[in-house]
């Protein structure tokens, strides 16, 4: 019996560069109030959101991803030709096939990189990061581009008072590459499919195509159920990720949770008993909920503003539709 040659990858992997892209159009709460019965004060108190970005016709899922990826590649100090894998997490690319990752890989100028899309909602960045780490350690790629990108304005029902104010558009990307010491911790991830009805698309595409419904499908959610799950269950997952990495809350420099809702963020900070010295990402205030893009966008902003610095230890956690989740501890690029 022939023996298969073992893979020769790097001992560890780390994030080497980060980039983000926010659409040029900034949408304040006043615009949202044109179609729902609410107030700016109510939106801010319930979510923390003041503005969000919405894409124009030219700011496609691919175009935003390419902009963010170019910045991440430059930040990592490598060339696009060195990228061996492109992983895109999105729920708002409306072509079932081919994967938008293949278009992005080609336009960036990668050397025929492996390219694929994943659908893991707001946990998608964590899923992609875990896959990239595995590819590098296994040896199938030296550098992997992980992109979280959404055009959720296309899936927003502007008459739905519970969700109309939540969603924004944008793309965030990181380059993951080889490391000589641990810089991406073990991932704590999973799913709770019995709660899948709490965040979902209103109707299947086939119902819209057949004319059974006249209204274009949108994302809807049971706000209170999602809030309770995120606050109580995801704080436990975050603690598991800290334990898996062998560190405590006191060892953290930065906390980058999915930017779903500032009340959820505040509750998680309290439950985890994070010290005041820990920098907490609050990109949700001006970017809204961008699902898979929210963590890399928040990471990029913290580094750009100097609120976080290279080498900081950060806890990242994403959670959303499915319900799915993924948490890990990383060293910032």
């Amino acid at each position: 019996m022939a023996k298969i040659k073992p893979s020769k990858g790097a001992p560890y992997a780390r994030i080497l560069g980060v980039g983000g892209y926010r659409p040029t159009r900034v949408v304040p709460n006043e615009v949202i109030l044109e179609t729902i019965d609410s107030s700016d004060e109510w939106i801010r108190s319930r979510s923390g959101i003041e503005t969000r970005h919405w894409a124009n016709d030219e700011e496609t899922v691919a175009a935003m991803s390419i902009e963010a990826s170019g910045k991440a590649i430059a930040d990592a100090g490598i060339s696009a030709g060195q990228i061996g894998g492109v992983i895109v997490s999105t729920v708002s690319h409306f072509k079932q096939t081919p994967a938008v990752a293949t278009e992005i890989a080609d336009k960036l100028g990668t050397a025929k990189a492996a390219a694929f899309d994943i659908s893991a909602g707001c946990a998608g960045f964590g899923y992609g990061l875990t896959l990239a780490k595995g590819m590098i350690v296994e040896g199938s790629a030296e550098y992997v581009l992980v992109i979280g990108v959404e055009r959720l304005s296309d899936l927003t029902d502007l008459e739905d008072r519970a969700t109309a104010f939540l969603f924004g558009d944008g793309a965030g990307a990181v380059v993951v590459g080889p490391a000589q010491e641990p810089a991406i911790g073990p991932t704590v991830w999973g799913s709770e499919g019995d709660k899948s009805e709490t965040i979902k698309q209103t109707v299947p595409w086939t119902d819209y195509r057949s004319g059974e419904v006249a209204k274009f499908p949108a994302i809807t959610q049971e706000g209170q159920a999602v809030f309770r799950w995120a606050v109580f269950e995801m704080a436990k997952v975050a603690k598991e990720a800290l334990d898996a990495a062998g560190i405590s809350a006191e060892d953290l420099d930065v906390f980058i949770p999915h930017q779903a809702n500032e009340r959820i963020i505040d509750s998680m900070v309290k439950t985890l008993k994070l010290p005041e010295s820990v920098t907490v990402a609050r990109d949700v205030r001006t970017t809204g909920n961008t699902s898979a893009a929210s963590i890399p966008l928040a990471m990029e902003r913290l580094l750009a503003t100097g609120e976080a610095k290279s080498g900081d230890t950060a806890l990242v956690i994403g959670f959303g539709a499915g319900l799915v989740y993924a948490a890990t501890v990383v060293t910032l690029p």
Side-chain angles (χ1 to χ4, degrees):
M1 182 181 293
K3 291 185 177 180
I4 297 174
K5 184 179 179 180
S7 299
K8 292 184 178 180
Y12 305 104
R14 67 168 295 149
I15 299 174
L16 299 173
V18 60
Y21 180 83
R22 293 171 174 81
T24 55
R25 183 188 177 193
V26 178
V27 180
N29 289 338
E30 286 73 19
V31 172
I32 307 299
L33 297 176
E34 294 173 4
T35 53
I36 60 171
D37 180 18
S38 188
S39 69
D40 177 63
E41 181 184 3
W42 187 88
I43 293 173
R44 290 179 187 235
S45 65
R46 291 303 180 103
S47 68
I49 298 172
E50 303 167 10
T51 61
R52 73 285 293 146
H53 295 253
W54 284 354
N56 60 33
D57 291 344
E58 288 73 38
E59 292 167 322
T60 63
V61 165
M64 292 190 293
S65 297
I66 290 166
E67 289 290 331
S69 298
K71 294 175 184 177
I73 292 168
D75 192 42
I78 66 169
S79 69
Q82 293 174 271
I83 298 290
V86 177
I87 303 171
V88 178
S89 178
T90 185
V91 298
S92 48
H93 175 58
F94 289 157
K95 288 184 180 178
Q96 193 72 37
T97 192
V100 71
T102 58
E103 177 185 350
I104 295 166
D106 176 62
K107 290 185 176 177
L108 285 173
T110 69
K112 299 182 179 179
F116 57 95
D117 298 351
I118 59 174
S119 176
C122 305
F125 176 74
Y127 275 51
L129 187 64
T130 303
L131 294 172
K133 173 186 173 183
M135 292 166 70
I136 290 159
V137 173
E138 186 269 341
S140 60
E142 186 176 11
Y143 300 99
V144 179
L145 185 64
V146 179
I147 303 165
V149 57
E150 301 292 2
R151 270 183 56 124
L152 293 180
S153 57
D154 291 334
L155 287 168
T156 299
D157 180 354
L158 293 178
E159 297 178 347
D160 181 355
R161 190 173 184 272
T163 60
F165 60 91
L166 285 176
F167 301 122
D169 303 337
V174 299
V175 172
V176 183
Q180 294 304 308
E181 57 184 33
I184 300 175
T187 300
V188 177
W189 57 354
S191 65
E192 296 185 33
D194 60 316
K195 299 178 181 66
S196 61
E197 291 295 303
T198 55
I199 306 174
K200 63 179 182 179
Q201 184 171 303
T202 49
V203 295
W205 297 112
T206 49
D207 287 1
Y208 181 73
R209 182 185 64 183
S210 66
E212 291 183 43
V213 294
K215 202 168 188 177
F216 194 75
I219 296 174
T220 187
Q221 68 175 29
E222 298 174 17
Q224 287 302 313
V226 173
F227 182 87
R228 289 193 298 270
W229 176 76
V231 168
F232 296 108
E233 297 304 319
M234 292 305 97
K236 296 176 186 177
V237 170
K239 179 62 167 61
E240 288 179 36
L242 290 174
D243 292 343
I247 67 172
S248 67
E250 288 71 29
D251 297 316
L252 279 179
D253 300 304
V254 185
F255 179 44
I256 311 178
H258 165 47
Q259 301 293 292
N261 179 307
E262 193 165 36
R263 289 174 63 212
I264 292 175
I265 294 171
D266 288 339
S267 295
M268 291 184 72
V269 168
K270 184 178 180 180
T271 302
L272 288 168
K273 299 179 180 179
L274 297 184
E276 290 187 7
S277 59
V278 175
T279 297
V280 180
R282 299 184 185 278
D283 195 42
V284 67
R285 293 174 179 172
T286 56
T287 306
N289 181 343
T290 55
S291 188
S294 78
I295 291 175
L297 277 174
M299 183 185 295
E300 185 259 355
R301 174 161 282 173
L302 289 175
L303 290 167
T305 60
E307 296 172 82
K309 62 183 184 298
S310 175
D312 278 354
T313 300
L315 169 63
V316 299
I317 179 169
F319 44 84
L323 293 171
V324 296
Y325 54 87
T328 188
V329 174
V330 303
T331 301
L332 294 182

